[in-house]
Amino acid sequence: MSDQAAGWYPDPTGENQQRYWDGDSWTDYYAPALPAQEEPSGPETAHEDYPYLAEVTHQRPDVMVAPGTPGAWSTSSAWGTPAEGKDDSGTKVFGAGVRNTPGGVAAVASLVVLAVLLVAGIGWWVVSGMRGDDPDPSGGSTGGSGTGSVTTGTVTLTDTIDALVEEDGRWEGTLSLSEATVLLLDVRTDSGEDLEVSVQDSSGAEVAGGDDRGRELTEGLGGSSLDPLVTAELEGGEYTVIVTELDGERSGFTVGATPVVEDVELELPTAASVPASGYWAGSIDLPADGAYAVDVRDSDGNDPVLVTIASDGRVRSNDDRDPQNDDRDPLLETQFPAGTVVLLVTEWSEDATNVTVTVEAS
C-alpha cells in the first residue's frame, strides 16, 4: 500500500487493533479498534426488536394471566387474522398499556439507565485506550520519559559500539567532529524494543533525530523497522547522541556512525562500488525543490537497489525500472526538497557489484 495516504488502518498483522501508516511504511503506533456502533434499543424500538409480538392480540395488556383464562391474551394462527395494535392518535403503539403500569414504567426506566451506562462505558474504554497514543505519530515518544538512570559512552566514526539503556532511562554518547560531515547514524537492537535517537549540539538544541527506519531501509540495510536510522549534515564540533526506548523498557543496542564521503554532482555520473552484504553511500546537495531523477546503472549484470533519504527525512526507493523486460537497474523519478539527499545502493542478492549513479533535474 505504498500509494496509500497516511492514516490509521487495520493492523496488517491481524491483531484486533489499528496501526498508523505514515505514507511510506507501517509505524509502531497502535490504537484500539473502535467497537461497532451500538444500535439503539429500548421501548421506542420494541416493535422492531420483537416483530413476532406484533401478532399478539392484547385483550388485557395491563394484566398477566394464565393461558386459557377468560380474558387472557391469545396469539393468532396461520389461518387467523392478527389483531390490530392499540391505536393512539393514528399511530400504532405496541404495549402502551404495559408502559402505563408501575411495573412497566420501572422496566422502561431500567432499560434507559442500562443504555446510558453502556454508552458511557464504551466512551470511557475508547478514551482510555487512546490516551497513551501519540496524537502526532510522526513526533516523539509518549512512553518512556528517559528521566531515569543515564548510561554514557562515546560514538566513534566508522565504528560500531555496544550500548545499554536502562528501564525508563537514557543513553548519552559523545560525538566529536573535526569538520562538516554528512553522517549516517545507525541504531539497532536485536531484542525487539522500539528505540528513538536524538542528536543535540553543545547548547542542547536538537539538530537531528529519528524513530522508525521503515520497510525500505530495513530491506536495504537490515535491522528492524522499529530501529532508528538518522542522516544528518553536521558542522564540526561536539554533539551528544541520546537514545531512549519508547515504552521505557531496558534495552541493549548498537550504535554505528558512518560518514558519507562520496559526493555526487548534479548531471554528472558517479562510479560506485557496492560491497558484498553491504551498501554504497553518497550524498548530493540539491539547489532547489523540484522533480529529479536518480538513475543507477549496473555494469556487472547484477541487481542493484536504490534507497534515498531526503533533507526532510522522507525515504524513497526503487528496485527494478522495468522488470517485465528484465531491466533490473533502478530509476527513481520523484519530487525532492532542496538540501542534502543521501543515496544508498545495495545489491538484491548481497553480491558485490559496480554501478554508476546519475542525478538529473527532470
Side-chain angles (χ1 to χ4, degrees):
M1 57 189 289
S2 59
D3 296 330
Q4 181 68 38
W8 292 99
Y9 297 96
D11 190 345
T13 64
E15 296 292 336
N16 185 23
Q17 60 190 6
Q18 292 182 311
R19 191 172 181 178
Y20 194 82
W21 173 262
D22 65 8
D24 292 309
S25 61
W26 290 107
T27 71
D28 193 42
Y29 297 95
Y30 302 91
L34 294 180
Q37 182 176 356
E38 292 290 332
E39 294 291 335
S41 179
E44 298 80 1
T45 63
H47 187 76
E48 292 76 10
D49 293 343
Y50 309 101
Y52 55 86
L53 293 180
E55 299 180 357
V56 175
T57 301
H58 289 278
Q59 295 181 356
R60 295 184 63 189
D62 295 342
V63 181
M64 185 72 73
V65 295
T69 303
W73 57 271
S74 61
T75 58
S76 62
S77 63
W79 49 86
T81 302
E84 292 292 326
K86 181 180 178 182
D87 191 292
D88 185 6
S89 303
T91 302
K92 287 187 178 181
V93 180
F94 175 81
V98 173
R99 290 201 302 271
N100 291 329
T101 65
V105 172
V108 171
S110 298
L111 287 173
V112 172
V113 172
L114 180 61
V116 171
L117 292 175
L118 179 62
V119 172
I122 292 174
W124 177 86
W125 177 78
V126 172
V127 172
S128 63
M130 293 294 291
R131 187 176 295 130
D133 291 343
D134 191 348
D136 177 10
S138 62
S141 168
T142 60
S145 62
T147 57
S149 60
V150 179
T151 52
T152 61
T154 302
V155 179
T156 306
L157 294 182
T158 70
D159 194 11
T160 299
I161 64 171
D162 295 321
L164 175 70
V165 58
E166 296 288 357
E167 183 177 354
D168 203 28
R170 66 185 186 276
W171 179 86
E172 296 184 357
T174 58
L175 170 65
S176 299
L177 298 177
S178 59
E179 58 184 358
T181 304
V182 177
L183 186 67
L184 192 64
L185 193 62
D186 190 341
V187 178
R188 61 178 74 181
T189 177
D190 293 329
S191 48
E193 289 82 25
D194 187 0
L195 301 177
E196 296 178 307
V197 64
S198 173
V199 181
Q200 298 181 358
D201 62 17
S202 57
S203 70
E206 183 178 79
V207 294
D211 183 3
D212 304 336
R213 70 180 60 195
R215 175 178 54 84
E216 291 89 350
L217 289 171
T218 300
E219 292 176 351
L221 305 183
S224 163
S225 62
L226 300 181
D227 292 334
L229 189 142
V230 177
T231 59
E233 187 172 12
L234 304 175
E235 298 296 328
E238 300 295 319
Y239 298 88
T240 302
V241 178
I242 300 175
V243 178
T244 56
E245 206 283 329
L246 182 69
D247 299 313
E249 296 183 8
R250 186 177 189 269
S251 177
F253 58 94
T254 60
V255 180
T258 303
V260 180
V261 297
E262 297 287 346
D263 293 327
V264 177
E265 299 293 334
L266 198 62
E267 314 291 342
L268 297 178
T270 299
S273 295
V274 181
S277 302
Y279 62 88
W280 172 88
S283 66
I284 183 170
D285 189 18
L286 299 181
D289 298 352
Y292 295 87
V294 184
D295 189 351
V296 178
R297 304 275 180 167
D298 184 270
S299 57
D300 295 343
N302 290 316
D303 186 4
V305 179
L306 169 69
V307 180
T308 66
I309 308 174
S311 58
D312 59 0
R314 183 170 180 180
V315 177
R316 301 169 174 86
S317 66
N318 184 262
D319 182 2
D320 307 320
R321 71 180 66 197
D322 189 5
Q324 293 182 347
N325 294 311
D326 202 32
D327 190 346
R328 304 294 178 181
D329 289 340
L331 175 64
L332 177 63
E333 296 176 300
T334 188
Q335 295 281 334
F336 282 113
T340 300
V341 178
V342 174
L343 312 171
L344 303 171
V345 180
T346 62
E347 204 282 328
W348 181 258
S349 302
E350 299 187 347
D351 295 329
T353 194
N354 293 288
V355 299
T356 58
V357 180
T358 307
V359 180
E360 299 177 319
S362 60

